[in-house]
Amino acid sequence: MNFDVEVKISLKKGMLSPEASTIEKALALLDYEVKNTQTLNIIKFTIDAENKEVASEQVDQMCQKLLCNPVIHDYEITISEE
Amino acid sequence: MNFDVEVKISLKKGMLSPEASTIEKALALLDYEVKNTQTLNIIKFTIDAENKEVASEQVDQMCQKLLCNPVIHDYEITISEE
């Protein structure tokens, strides 16, 4: 069975985000004033698994091993049937 | 008035994504088989504007000028009152 997976990766609260502060500064140079800038990454893919639980377990392992750095990232997994 | 803005940036259909194919290959090396990998970026920030229309217009300009490359990216703007 195929499942659509979406992994949302964000920096943990309190982590400094050089990417976000660069965006903020660059926008300020163009005279746009924005605050509380945050960036998130989303990785989407399709996975073949027996059922939703197995898929969820596998994706969690992928996050721990490769997709995220659990020390600095929070992640949120959404799985839906294709 | 403050508005919460979320800009979702993805590659246009048909554009090759080296990032996505690298993720796919790396997962394959760990024995996870996934397909149709896609990556998206989300930029969130707060902006001060008179009303929603003005905010929307400003964010669209930011996307055109700085946040996205309109040649290769699609973007989707979501604005909500704080």
Side-chain angles (χ1 to χ4, degrees):
Chain A
M1 209 167 184
N2 279 334
F3 294 92
D4 282 330
V5 179
E6 193 176 304
V7 182
K8 200 181 215 175
I9 303 166
S10 57
L11 279 174
K12 285 198 168 152
K13 262 201 174 161
M15 296 292 305
L16 290 178
S17 167
E19 192 186 10
S21 58
T22 305
I23 290 172
E24 224 167 83
K25 278 177 211 155
L27 285 173
L29 289 175
L30 295 174
D31 281 331
Y32 297 109
E33 207 192 311
V34 305
K35 282 178 296 188
N36 310 326
T37 309
Q38 258 185 296
T39 57
L40 288 96
N41 284 304
I42 292 183
I43 304 174
K44 283 180 175 183
F45 51 81
T46 316
I47 188 174
D48 185 27
E50 274 166 57
N51 56 47
K52 212 170 167 172
E53 283 66 43
V54 175
S56 170
E57 175 59 30
Q58 285 208 340
V59 176
D60 195 67
Q61 285 174 16
M62 291 178 204
C63 287
Q64 299 277 349
K65 286 188 193 169
L66 181 84
L67 302 177
C68 313
N69 177 348
V71 179
I72 59 168
H73 291 137
D74 277 332
Y75 59 91
E76 213 182 293
I77 299 170
T78 316
I79 296 184
S80 54
E81 279 180 38
E82 213 179 23
Chain B
M1 208 172 188
N2 279 335
F3 294 92
D4 281 329
V5 179
E6 192 177 305
V7 182
K8 198 182 216 173
I9 303 165
S10 57
L11 278 174
K12 284 198 171 155
K13 262 201 176 164
M15 295 294 305
L16 291 177
S17 167
E19 193 186 8
S21 57
T22 304
I23 290 172
E24 226 167 83
K25 279 178 210 153
L27 285 173
L29 289 175
L30 296 174
D31 282 329
Y32 297 109
E33 207 191 311
V34 305
K35 282 177 297 186
N36 310 324
T37 310
Q38 259 183 296
T39 57
L40 288 97
N41 284 304
I42 292 183
I43 303 172
K44 283 180 175 184
F45 52 81
T46 316
I47 187 174
D48 184 29
E50 275 166 55
N51 57 46
K52 211 170 170 174
E53 284 66 43
V54 175
S56 170
E57 175 60 31
Q58 284 208 340
V59 176
D60 196 67
Q61 285 174 16
M62 290 177 203
C63 286
Q64 299 277 348
K65 286 189 193 169
L66 181 85
L67 302 178
C68 313
N69 176 349
V71 178
I72 58 167
H73 291 138
D74 277 332
Y75 59 89
E76 215 182 288
I77 299 170
T78 316
I79 297 183
S80 54
E81 278 179 39
E82 212 179 24

